[in-house]
Amino acid sequence: MTSSCRRLPHPVLLGPSAALVLLAAVGCTSTDPSASVTVPTPSSEAAAYCRALHKELPRSVAGLERTDPAPRSDLTAGWGDGAIVLRCGVARPAKMDDSQSKAAEADGVNWLLEQREDDGPRFTTTLRKAYVEVTLSAAYAHDATPLAAFAASVKKTVPSSL
């Protein structure tokens, strides 16, 4: 097996302005999950429940202060710079149709559990008129206790669909 390498006739050096552009681009790329969150686009009915929920969400969860992600929206919230992210009005997860799906219950609110490969779990409310999704960082890979912090707010603002 042969491989071919092509050498450039002259070394390639980046000029100062090209190097700055490259550094700026690298500096602007964030791996921080709180940097940007996709805002859901629910029905007007679900959006109204979500706006009400947003007003009732706790200031801290699991000892983490609230730090809402960008872009700011009544449909999203965060705690601990992305360690815990809530999105309200998400689409119904296809996993809810799987009879083998795992679930959790936290203070009277049922949640579908989805394990994510390279991160912590994602939970989505079930049996509610708007779907509320909570993603947890890998630090919570085996800990669903932060869900209890959302139970009272969800029960108060997002009616049961039963």
Side-chain angles (χ1 to χ4, degrees), residues 121-151:
R122 174 175 42 225
F123 294 91
T124 307
T125 56
T126 65
L127 308 173
R128 297 274 160 191
K129 292 197 175 189
Y131 293 104
V132 179
E133 172 192 276
V134 173
T135 55
L136 305 176
S137 70
Y140 298 96
H142 302 288
D143 182 7
T145 55
L147 295 179
F150 303 114

Side-chain angles (χ1 to χ4, degrees), residues 90-106 109-116 120-128 131-136 144 147:
V90 298
R92 182 181 189 276
K95 194 86 170 158
M96 283 191 185
D97 294 331
D98 182 354
S99 63
Q100 301 300 311
S101 293
K102 295 182 180 178
E105 188 272 340
V109 176
N110 295 311
W111 301 84
L112 167 74
L113 165 62
E114 294 178 273
Q115 292 291 348
R116 300 180 300 161
R122 174 175 42 225
F123 294 91
T124 307
T125 56
T126 65
L127 308 173
R128 297 274 160 191
Y131 293 104
V132 179
E133 172 192 276
V134 173
T135 55
L136 305 176
L147 295 179

